[in-house]
C-alpha cells in the first residue's frame, strides 16, 4: 500500500462518497456544494474519481440507466477498505499536527 | 415533457470521451444534469450549460491525448493550451467577438486570395503545362509584339513546325453548318503537331492525327457546343459538316469546361505551310514549344536570343533590335489590366485584416489587465519569459484558428456567389479563370491565421512580460496595473484609420452602384432582341452583294407578323461607337479641337421605331437613302452642338478626315432623340450622327427587333427564319436581348463594386466593435474613479465628457489618417468608379459622418454604464 496522503479535493470526495449510501457523480458534486461549500467543476471531479480508483481507494459498479440519462448507465461509487484506511491515516496525521495549536487557532479539532 | 441535449454537442461528446464505462457514465451524468436544469430553469440556459460542459470536457479529455503524444514539452504546451482554451470558453462573449472579427479579416483575405489565384494562377489545364513556353517577339522599335506576332518576325522560329516540335495557332470566329442550323463558333486553328505538343486530348473521339492531311479537315468541338449546337447527339464523331466552303469531319469532343486558349468552342487544323507563309485567318499567330526533359527556361531563352541576333545579322530587313523571349501560357493569356484593381482590393482586405488584429490585440490587452495577478505570480515564481508570454500567444492563436475556420466557411460562400455572378455568359471570361476554395487557399488562410495570431498577441504578451513582478503582487486583487492605456489608444486610432480608408473605397463603389441603378440610355432596351451576323467570307467580299442581302433581309423581317419593328445597324445603341470630329458646311474652324465630336452610327430605316423613340423633326431614314443623295440624321445634342443657333434641319455636315482629305457632305433630313450611342462608359457622350446603313454596307451587322409582347427571346425564331429565307447557311450569333448586352458592359462595376461594398461593411463593423470594446474596458477600469467623482458631486454630463473626450479625439485622429489614405488610394479605385469621382468630397463627408455615427452608437452603452456608476459600490471596492 502506498503512503500517499489524499489531497484536499480527494479527501472531500472520499468523505462525500462515504456519506452517501448511493454515491453517483452528481450526488457527490451536490454534497460538496451543500455540505462543504466547495464548488468544483465536473471535469475535475471526474479526474479525481478516476485517480482515486487507480490508487484503489474507491471502486465503482455500473448501474442501469434512469429515464433522464438518454439510455446511458451510471457509475455508483463505494469507498474501499484501503480508502477508509487512507482517510484514517490522514486524520491521524492532521490531528497530530493540530495538537497544541488550540491556543492559536481556537478550539475545534478537524 | 422530455428534454434532449443539443444534438451537435452530443455528437461532439460522443467523440471526445473514452468509449468505456467511464465515458458512458459521464455522458449520462451530463444528460441528467441537462434535464434537471431544463426542468427547473430555462431550456435555453440548460442548452448553454450543456455546450459549455461539453467544451470543457473536450479540453480535459481530447487535448491531453493529442498533445501527450508530443512528449514532455508537448505536454507542457498542452497544459498551457488547455488553460488558454478554458479561459476563452469561460469568457464566451469577448471570445466570440474576437473570433468573429478575425473571421471577417481572415475570411476576406481567403476570398481575395482565391480571386487573385483564380485570375492569374490556376493554369489552362494542359498536361505539364509549366513546360510549355509561348515565344514572344520583343522589338522596342515596334513595341512589344505580344504573343501574336506577324509571320515575318517569327519566320526564324518556324523550324520544327512540320515535325511538330513547334506548335502554332490562331483564333478567329467561323461559320459552321450543323445539321439543324448554321452557327458561328470561335475557333482555334492549330498547326498539325499542336494537338500533341500542347496535350489537347478530346474526351470523346480522338485528337486529329497529323496524317489527316488530304480530304476532309478534322474538327474538334467543345462540350458546350456539342450540347448547345449539336443537341448532344451521340453520333457526333464522324459527323460531316461545312465551314463556309470547307468540308469538315467532327473527330472529337473536348471535356466539359475546356475552351483553349480562352473561350473557344472549336479546334481544327491548318497546314504548316499556311502558318509559314503567314496565311492564317487573322494573319497573326501564336508559337509555342515544349521544353524537352532536362532543358530549362533559361536555356531556351538563351537559344532564342542567339537566334534573334543571328537573323538580325543576316539582314532580311528585320528590325535591328529584334529579340525573342518565352513566357508561360498563363502569362500570355492573362492581362495586367485587372491587376491594379485586384491589388487595390487586396490592399483594402489587408487593412480590414490589420484592423481585425488591432481589435483582437485590444481585447487581449483588456484581458491581460484582468490577469495581472496571474502574470505577476508566474514571473515571481521564476517562470521563464516564454512561460509568461506563451499563454497570450496561445490564446490569440486559438482565437485566430477559430476565426480561420469560420472565415474560410464565409469565404467559401462568397466565392460560390462570385463564381455564379461572373458567369461565362455574362463576362466572357476565359475558361481558366475559376474561383474555388482549394488546398492553396486553405494553406494561405492558415498562414494568415498564424500571422494574425502573432500580430494580435505579441503586443499584449511582450507588455505582460515586461511587468516587474513586485509591482503587481501588491495590488493583485485590484485590477489593472498592466498599463494598457497607451497601446489600446494607438490600436483604436489604427483601427478607425484603417476602417475609414476602406470605407472611402466602399463609398466610391457604393455611389457607383447608385449611379448604375439610375442609368438611363434614353430608351427601354428590355423588349428588344438583338443578334449579329458576319458577312466577311469571300462570298460577301463585294459591298453590293452585302447591301443587297441586307435590303432583302429587312424586307423579310418587315413581312414577319411576330415582329412589330425590325432594323439593321452596324452597331447597337448604348454599346459604343467611333467618335471622329465633324465639320459643318460654311463654318471655318481655327483648330482641330474646335470641330465637334460625333458618335457615328450606321443604321437602317426602322432603327428608331424599334427603340420606340420617334423622330423629333424632319423624317426618318427611308429605303434607298444613301444611294442617290447623301443624307444623315443627327440627334438633339449634336444638333445643338453643330448648329447652336438652330437650323440644323437641311444643313450639311461631314466627317473631318484630316487636312487635304475631303469627305462628302451629307444633308441633315431628320432630328432624332438622344439614345446614348456611346453607352454607359465613364466618358461623356458626344451626340450621335446616323448614316444610312446601305450607303456603305459593313461586314458585320446587328439585327434588332421588337415584338408586341415583353419577351425578347420569343422573337429569335422569326429573326432566324427571315435570314434563312434570304441567306440559308448564314448564322446569327451573339443572340441576346439588348438589355443583356447593355448589362454586359456594366457587370464589372456591379460585381466588383458590390464586393468592395462588402469590404466596407466589414470594416465598419470592425470599427464599431473595436470602439465598443475599448470604451467598455476603459469604463470598467475607471469604475472606482468615476464612482468617487460621482460621490463628490460630479454630474452626468461631466462624466460623459471625461470618458467621451478621449474617444472623440481618438476617432478624429483615426478618421483624419484614414481619409488621407483614402484620398491617396483614389487613383487605384478609379477603375471601379462609375460616373463618380473617387475623390468626391461628398464621399469623404459621408464616411466621416458614418464613422462618427458608429462611434456614437458603439460608445453609448458603456457611457451609460459610466453614468450609472454607483458611488457606494466604488467606495466599497476601495
Amino acid at each position: 500500500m502506498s503512503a500517499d496522503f489524499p489531497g484536499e479535493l480527494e479527501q472531500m470526495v472520499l468523505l462525500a462518497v462515504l456519506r452517501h449510501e448511493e454515491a453517483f457523480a452528481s450526488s457527490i458534486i451536490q454534497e460538496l456544494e451543500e455540505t462543504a461549500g466547495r464548488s468544483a467543476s465536473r471535469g475535475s471531479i471526474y479526474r479525481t474519481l478516476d485517480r482515486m480508483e487507480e490508487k484503489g481507494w474507491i471502486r465503482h459498479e455500473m448501474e442501469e440507466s434512469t429515464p433522464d440519462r438518454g439510455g446511458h448507465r451510471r457509475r455508483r461509487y463505494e469507498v474501499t477498505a484501503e480508502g477508509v484506511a487512507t482517510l484514517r491515516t490522514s486524520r491521524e496525521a492532521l490531528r497530530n499536527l493540530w495538537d497544541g495549536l488550540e491556543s492559536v487557532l481556537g478550539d475545534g479539532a478537524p | 415533457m422530455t428534454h434532449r441535449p443539443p444534438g451537435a454537442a452530443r455528437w461532439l461528446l460522443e467523440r471526445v470521451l473514452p468509449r468505456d464505462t467511464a465515458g458512458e457514465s459521464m455522458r449520462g451524468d451530463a444528460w441528467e444534469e441537462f434535464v434537471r436544469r431544463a426542468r427547473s430553469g430555462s431550456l435555453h440556459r440548460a442548452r448553454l450549460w450543456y455546450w459549455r460542459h461539453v467544451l470543457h470536457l473536450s479540453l480535459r479529455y481530447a487535448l491531453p491525448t493529442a498533445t501527450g503524444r508530443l512528449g514532455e514539452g508537448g505536454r507542457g504546451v498542452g497544459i498551457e493550451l488547455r488553460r488558454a482554451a478554458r479561459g476563452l470558453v469561460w469568457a464566451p462573449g469577448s471570445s466570440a467577438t474576437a473570433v468573429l472579427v478575425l473571421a471577417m479579416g481572415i475570411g476576406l483575405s481567403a476570398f481575395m486570395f482565391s480571386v487573385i489565384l483564380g485570375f492569374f494562377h490556376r493554369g489552362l489545364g494542359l498536361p505539364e503545362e509549366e513546360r510549355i513556353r509561348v515565344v514572344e517577339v520583343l522589338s522596342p522599335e515596334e513595341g512589344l509584339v505580344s504573343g501574336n506576332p506577324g509571320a515575318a518576325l517569327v519566320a526564324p522560329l518556324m523550324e520544327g513546325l512540320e515535325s511538330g516540335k513547334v506548335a502554332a495557332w490562331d483564333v478567329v470566329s467561323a461559320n459552321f453548318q450543323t445539321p439543324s442550323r448554321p452557327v458561328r463558333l470561335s475557333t482555334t486553328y492549330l498547326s498539325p503537331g499542336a494537338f500533341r505538343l500542347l496535350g489537347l486530348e478530346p474526351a470523346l473521339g480522338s485528337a486529329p492525327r497529323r496524317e489527316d492531311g488530304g480530304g476532309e479537315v478534322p474538327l474538334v468541338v467543345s462540350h458546350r457546343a456539342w450540347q448547345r449546337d449539336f443537341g448532344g447527339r451521340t453520333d457526333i464523331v464522324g459527323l460531316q459538316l461545312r465551314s463556309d466552303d470547307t468540308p469538315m469531319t467532327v473527330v472529337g469532343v473536348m471535356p466539359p469546361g475546356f475552351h483553349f486558349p480562352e473561350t473557344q468552342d472549336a479546334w481544327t487544323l491548318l497546314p504548316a505551310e499556311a502558318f509559314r507563309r503567314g496565311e492564317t485567318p487573322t494573319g497573326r499567330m501564336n508559337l509555342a514549344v515544349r521544353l524537352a526533359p532536362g532543358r530549362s527556361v533559361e536555356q531556351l531563352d538563351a537559344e532564342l536570343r542567339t537566334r534573334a541576333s543571328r537573323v538580325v545579322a543576316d539582314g532580311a530587313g528585320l528590325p535591328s533590335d529584334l529579340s525573342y523571349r518565352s513566357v508561360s501560357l498563363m502569362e500570355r493569356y492573362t492581362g495586367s489590366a485587372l491587376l491594379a484593381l485586384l491589388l487595390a482590393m487586396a490592399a483594402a482586405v489587408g487593412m480590414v485584416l490589420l484592423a481585425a488584429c488591432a481589435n483582437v490585440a485590444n481585447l487581449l490587452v483588456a484581458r491581460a489587465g484582468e490577469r495581472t495577478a496571474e502574470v505577476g505570480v508566474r514571473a515571481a515564481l521564476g517562470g521563464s519569459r516564454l512561460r509568461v508570454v506563451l499563454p497570450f500567444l496561445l490564446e490569440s492563436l486559438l482565437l485566430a484558428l477559430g476565426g480561420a475556420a469560420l472565415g474560410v466557411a464565409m469565404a467559401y460562400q462568397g466565392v460560390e456567389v462570385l463564381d455564379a455572378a461572373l458567369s461565362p455568359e455574362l463576362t466572357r471570361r476565359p475558361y481558366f479563370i475559376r474561383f474555388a476554395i482549394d488546398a492553396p487557399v486553405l494553406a494561405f488562410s492558415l498562414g494568415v491565421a498564424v500571422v494574425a495570431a502573432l500580430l494580435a498577441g505579441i503586443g499584449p504578451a511582450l507588455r505582460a512580460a515586461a511587468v516587474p513582478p513586485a509591482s503587481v503582487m501588491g495590488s493583485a486583487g485590484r485590477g489593472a496595473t498592466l498599463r494598457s492605456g497607451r497601446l489600446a489608444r494607438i490600436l483604436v486610432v489604427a483601427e478607425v484609420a484603417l476602417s475609414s480608408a476602406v470605407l472611402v473605397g466602399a463609398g466610391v463603389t457604393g455611389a457607383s452602384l447608385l449611379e448604375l441603378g439610375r442609368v438611363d440610355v434614353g430608351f427601354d432596351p428590355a423588349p428588344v432582341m438583338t443578334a449579329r451576323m458576319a458577312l466577311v467570307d469571300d462570298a460577301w467580299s463585294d459591298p453590293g452583294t452585302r447591301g443587297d442581302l441586307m435590303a432583302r433581309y429587312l424586307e423579310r423581317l418587315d413581312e414577319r407578323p411576330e415582329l412589330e419593328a425590325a432594323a439593321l445597324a452596324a452597331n447597337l445603341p448604348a454599346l459604343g461607337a467611333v467618335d471622329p470630329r465633324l465639320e459643318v458646311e460654311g463654318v471655318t474652324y481655327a483648330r482641330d479641337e474646335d470641330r465637334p465630336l460625333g458618335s457615328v452610327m450606321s443604321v437602317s430605316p426602322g432603327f428608331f421605331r424599334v427603340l420606340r423613340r420617334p423622330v423629333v423633326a424632319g423624317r426618318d431614314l427611308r429605303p434607298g437613302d444613301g444611294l442617290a443623295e447623301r443624307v444623315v440624321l443627327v440627334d438633339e445634342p449634336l444638333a445643338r452642338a453643330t448648329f447652336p443657333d438652330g437650323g440644323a434641319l437641311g444643313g450639311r455636315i461631314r466627317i473631318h478626315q484630316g487636312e487635304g482629305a475631303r469627305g462628302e457632305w451629307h444633308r441633315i433630313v431628320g432630328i432624332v432623340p438622344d439614345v446614348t450611342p456611346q453607352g454607359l462608359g465613364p466618358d461623356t457622350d458626344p451626340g450621335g450622327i446616323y448614316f444610312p446603313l446601305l450607303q456603305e454596307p459593313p461586314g458585320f451587322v446587328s439585327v434588332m427587333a421588337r415584338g408586341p409582347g415583353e419577351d425578347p427571346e420569343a422573337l429569335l425564331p422569326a429573326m432566324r427564319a427571315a435570314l434563312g429565307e434570304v441567306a440559308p447557311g448564314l448564322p446569327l450569333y451573339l443572340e441576346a436581348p439588348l438589355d443583356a448586352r447593355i448589362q454586359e458592359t456594366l457587370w464589372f462595376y456591379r460585381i466588383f463594386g458590390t464586393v468592395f461594398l462588402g469590404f466596407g461593411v466589414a470594416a465598419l463593423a470592425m470599427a464599431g466593435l473595436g470602439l465598443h470594446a475599448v470604451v467598455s474596458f476603459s469604463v470598467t477600469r475607471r469604475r472606482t474613479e468615476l464612482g468617487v467623482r460621482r460621490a463628490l458631486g460630479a454630474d452626468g454630463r461631466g462624466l460623459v465628457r471625461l470618458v467621451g473626450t478621449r474617444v472623440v479625439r481618438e476617432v478624429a485622429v483615426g478618421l483624419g489618417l484614414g481619409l488621407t489614405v483614402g484620398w491617396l488610394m483614389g487613383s487605384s479605385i478609379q477603375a471601379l468608379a462609375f460616373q463618380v469621382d473617387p475623390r468626391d468630397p461628398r464621399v469623404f463627408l459621408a464616411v466621416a459622418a458614418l464613422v462618427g455615427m458608429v462611434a456614437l452608437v458603439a460608445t453609448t452603452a458603456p457611457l451609460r454604464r459610466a453614468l450609472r456608476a454607483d458611488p457606494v459600490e466604488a467606495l466599497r471596492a476601495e
Side-chain angles (χ1 to χ4, degrees):
Chain A
M1 176 193 151
S2 83
D4 252 356
F5 281 103
E8 184 227 11
L9 186 60
E10 286 176 342
Q11 232 179 111
M12 286 194 170
V13 171
L14 277 175
L15 291 169
V17 174
L18 271 179
R19 292 170 77 94
H20 274 262
E21 273 180 34
E22 301 242 288
F24 305 105
S26 45
S27 52
I28 294 167
I29 290 162
Q30 206 180 345
E31 179 72 33
L32 285 182
E33 273 175 16
E34 285 170 6
T35 314
R38 161 89 192 231
S39 92
S41 83
R42 290 182 160 250
S44 49
I45 299 292
Y46 287 129
R47 280 275 145 158
T48 309
L49 287 168
D50 284 353
R51 201 165 50 237
M52 292 200 297
E53 195 155 16
E54 276 168 31
K55 292 177 180 169
W57 295 346
I58 55 170
R59 61 192 177 84
H60 76 265
E61 270 172 30
M62 292 306 281
E63 282 215 347
E64 283 316 302
S65 178
T66 60
D68 286 344
R69 295 180 57 84
H72 300 288
R73 292 175 299 162
R74 57 177 173 175
R75 286 179 165 190
R76 185 171 49 76
Y77 291 94
E78 289 169 359
V79 180
T80 60
E82 275 179 50
V84 175
T86 304
L87 275 174
R88 284 210 182 97
T89 319
S90 158
R91 188 177 56 177
E92 208 52 44
L94 285 174
R95 197 172 266 158
N96 292 338
L97 282 168
W98 278 88
D99 261 359
L101 291 176
E102 288 81 3
S103 58
V104 184
L105 295 162
D107 206 13
Chain B
M1 173 176 177
T2 56
H3 296 286
R4 294 170 71 82
R10 246 167 43 218
W11 177 89
L12 185 61
L13 198 60
E14 198 66 36
R15 261 135 208 92
V16 250
L17 290 181
R19 300 198 162 273
D20 55 9
T21 55
E24 182 181 354
S25 181
M26 279 188 261
R27 279 181 214 117
D29 289 349
W31 194 304
E32 200 176 337
E33 180 66 16
F34 167 80
V35 172
R36 192 185 70 76
R37 283 173 187 253
R39 285 207 184 113
S40 62
S42 88
L43 182 60
H44 175 68
R45 276 170 187 277
R47 284 206 181 109
L48 217 60
W49 173 85
Y50 191 84
W51 263 111
R52 277 184 173 198
H53 182 56
V54 168
L55 291 178
H56 200 79
L57 286 179
S58 310
L59 296 175
R60 211 160 249 286
Y61 284 88
L63 258 183
T65 335
T67 49
R69 294 199 192 102
L70 299 172
E72 199 51 49
R75 234 189 307 278
V77 172
I79 290 169
E80 289 294 350
L81 205 55
R82 214 167 69 211
R83 195 191 298 272
R86 202 161 50 212
L88 296 177
V89 169
W90 291 111
S94 64
S95 303
T97 308
V99 166
L100 200 65
V101 161
L102 284 168
M104 277 196 254
I106 298 173
L108 286 178
S109 306
F111 172 81
M112 208 52 229
F113 186 71
S114 167
V115 168
I116 290 177
L117 219 56
F119 270 109
F120 293 104
H121 215 70
R122 294 215 195 266
L124 279 73
L126 301 178
E128 285 190 75
E129 187 175 318
E130 65 286 352
R131 303 203 63 82
I132 300 175
R133 302 295 292 180
V134 178
V135 179
E136 284 195 331
V137 176
L138 286 167
S139 165
E141 246 175 63
E142 310 226 332
L144 168 67
V145 190
S146 90
N148 210 355
L153 291 177
V154 293
L157 299 170
M158 299 266 198
E159 255 172 63
L161 194 63
E162 282 82 359
S163 63
K165 288 226 164 67
V166 172
W169 67 92
D170 187 26
V171 168
V172 79
S173 286
N175 297 338
F176 294 90
Q177 307 288 335
T178 76
S180 53
R181 63 186 177 85
V183 292
R184 189 168 175 83
L185 300 178
S186 182
T187 306
T188 312
Y189 292 83
L190 296 129
S191 64
F195 268 89
R196 214 189 43 196
L197 187 143
L198 295 170
L200 307 184
E201 200 49 59
L204 194 67
S206 59
R209 280 164 293 127
R210 250 191 305 150
E211 301 85 86
D212 292 344
E216 283 153 346
V217 179
L219 179 73
V220 176
V221 297
S222 73
H223 189 271
R224 174 170 69 190
W226 176 40
Q227 295 297 321
R228 183 187 60 198
D229 303 319
F230 296 87
R233 54 194 293 167
T234 48
D235 59 347
I236 176 93
V237 173
L239 188 74
Q240 314 252 327
L241 46 76
R242 301 178 79 81
S243 172
D244 299 326
D245 280 334
T246 315
M248 291 189 170
T249 308
V250 177
V251 299
V253 177
M254 278 297 179
F258 186 86
H259 302 280
F260 176 86
E262 291 178 287
T263 56
Q264 280 57 50
D265 277 314
W267 297 266
T268 185
L269 293 185
L270 207 59
E273 197 49 32
F275 283 103
R276 196 171 278 287
R277 286 205 298 260
E279 290 168 358
T280 58
T282 66
R284 322 200 86 199
M285 71 189 75
N286 296 276
L287 288 173
V289 296
R290 191 178 269 280
L291 291 174
R295 248 168 79 93
S296 69
V297 173
E298 290 71 31
Q299 285 170 319
L300 174 67
D301 281 345
E303 192 200 311
L304 287 174
R305 276 194 299 273
T306 323
R307 248 193 236 201
S309 55
R310 205 183 315 141
V311 281
V312 169
D314 286 351
L318 293 175
S320 61
D321 60 354
L322 175 78
S323 90
Y324 301 128
R325 70 162 181 204
S326 74
V327 297
S328 71
L329 272 171
M330 224 32 207
E331 286 170 283
R332 162 70 183 88
Y333 282 107
T334 48
S336 57
L338 266 180
L339 192 61
L341 170 66
L342 290 177
L343 288 181
M345 292 172 74
V349 164
M351 289 189 207
V352 173
L353 182 66
L354 280 180
C357 292
N359 222 321
V360 173
N362 235 332
L363 243 125
L364 292 178
V365 168
R367 240 190 235 171
E370 285 157 17
R371 288 187 3 197
T372 307
E374 177 200 329
V375 170
V377 170
R378 275 177 187 243
L381 291 178
S384 66
R385 192 161 260 247
L386 181 69
R387 265 288 158 112
V388 175
V389 166
L390 198 61
F392 291 92
L393 289 183
L394 287 179
E395 212 173 285
S396 71
L397 184 67
L398 285 179
L399 289 172
L401 290 179
L406 187 61
V408 166
M410 283 163 26
Y412 183 82
Q413 292 295 325
V415 165
E416 293 261 291
V417 171
L418 182 77
D419 200 58
L422 293 174
S423 70
E425 287 69 33
L426 177 65
T427 61
R428 301 187 202 295
R429 69 167 131 125
Y431 76 100
F432 51 80
I433 294 180
R434 51 184 195 281
F435 309 103
I437 298 290
D438 52 7
V441 178
L442 289 179
F444 173 82
S445 311
L446 199 63
V448 169
V450 171
V451 171
L454 284 175
L455 281 178
I458 203 80
L462 291 180
R463 180 163 293 267
V467 173
S471 80
V472 293
M473 293 295 279
S475 60
R478 238 201 273 152
T481 344
L482 287 180
R483 267 191 231 98
S484 44
R486 189 188 302 164
L487 181 60
R489 282 209 295 278
I490 292 173
L491 290 175
V492 168
V493 169
E495 247 174 72
V496 173
L498 293 165
S499 301
S500 320
V502 176
L503 275 173
V504 168
V508 171
T509 56
S512 300
L513 288 176
L514 282 182
E515 285 295 321
L516 282 175
R518 52 166 175 256
V519 287
D520 178 12
V521 289
F523 60 92
D524 176 16
V528 178
M529 186 67 194
T530 74
R532 201 151 171 86
M533 48 203 242
L535 305 173
V536 289
D537 306 327
D538 292 345
W540 305 107
S541 55
D542 172 37
T545 322
R546 294 203 295 270
D548 181 50
L549 171 78
M550 290 176 199
R552 285 191 295 134
Y553 186 26
L554 279 169
E555 281 168 22
R556 293 302 166 99
L557 286 168
D558 278 344
E559 288 164 11
R560 286 271 157 184
E562 306 96 306
L563 307 180
E564 185 187 287
L568 297 178
N571 39 359
L572 292 167
L575 289 175
V578 292
D579 50 349
R581 297 207 172 267
L582 307 174
E583 44 194 18
V584 175
E585 192 178 32
V587 180
T588 50
Y589 300 92
R591 297 170 306 165
D592 260 4
E593 303 89 272
D594 295 338
R595 297 185 170 83
L597 292 169
S599 305
V600 171
M601 302 289 284
S602 185
V603 303
S604 77
F607 178 87
F608 288 93
R609 273 208 312 284
V610 173
L611 303 182
R612 282 212 184 135
R613 295 301 314 270
V615 174
V616 176
R619 64 166 177 90
D620 197 352
L621 293 174
R622 287 196 290 249
D625 272 347
L627 302 178
E629 196 202 7
R630 301 288 186 186
V631 298
V632 76
L633 308 178
V634 297
D635 65 14
E636 289 176 294
L638 189 66
R640 278 195 297 275
T642 47
F643 293 88
D645 307 324
L649 207 57
R652 296 216 297 172
I653 195 169
R654 71 177 174 190
I655 294 175
H656 174 62
Q657 293 175 324
E659 285 315 306
R662 289 283 174 266
E664 283 191 68
W665 290 110
H666 288 69
R667 184 166 305 282
I668 298 172
V669 295
I671 313 283
V672 290
D674 181 12
V675 294
T676 48
Q678 293 295 348
L680 302 167
D683 305 321
T684 49
D685 196 353
I689 176 165
Y690 295 83
F691 292 88
L693 181 73
L694 297 189
Q695 184 175 307
E696 276 176 53
F700 291 93
V701 64
S702 288
V703 51
M704 43 201 279
R706 169 194 286 267
E710 287 298 305
D711 177 18
E713 304 268 1
L715 310 175
L716 196 53
M719 293 159 73
R720 282 184 189 155
L723 183 62
E725 286 166 19
V726 291
L730 188 66
L732 290 177
Y733 65 102
L734 276 181
E735 297 159 332
L738 185 52
D739 203 23
R741 294 297 311 278
I742 293 174
Q743 287 306 318
E744 274 173 25
T745 64
L746 303 176
W747 66 264
F748 181 79
Y749 301 104
R750 215 183 276 288
I751 290 170
F752 284 101
T754 309
V755 169
F756 219 104
L757 208 57
F759 294 174
V761 172
L764 198 62
M766 208 91 53
L769 286 173
L771 278 168
H772 180 265
V774 167
V775 177
S776 296
F777 177 59
S778 144
V779 167
T780 312
R781 216 168 41 127
R782 298 170 71 179
R783 197 175 48 216
T784 312
E785 179 201 338
L786 295 174
V788 170
R789 280 174 188 267
R790 192 89 213 217
L792 293 178
D795 64 344
R797 201 179 302 161
L799 292 187
V800 169
R801 199 178 304 132
L802 188 70
V803 181
T805 313
R806 223 179 62 191
V807 177
V808 170
R809 204 164 50 217
E810 285 159 14
V811 170
V813 172
L815 195 58
L817 285 173
L819 293 183
T820 310
V821 173
W823 181 274
L824 296 176
M825 282 190 355
S827 54
S828 39
I829 196 86
Q830 180 83 57
L832 278 179
F834 176 80
Q835 294 176 355
V836 173
D837 177 7
R839 289 176 180 156
D840 190 330
R842 282 172 300 178
V843 169
F844 287 77
L845 279 177
V847 169
L850 201 59
V851 170
M853 224 155 67
V854 166
L856 193 67
V857 171
T859 54
T860 299
L863 279 180
R864 242 197 230 140
R865 251 191 306 136
L867 287 183
R868 279 205 306 265
D870 180 0
V872 180
E873 178 89 358
L875 295 176
R876 191 181 299 141
E878 280 302 294

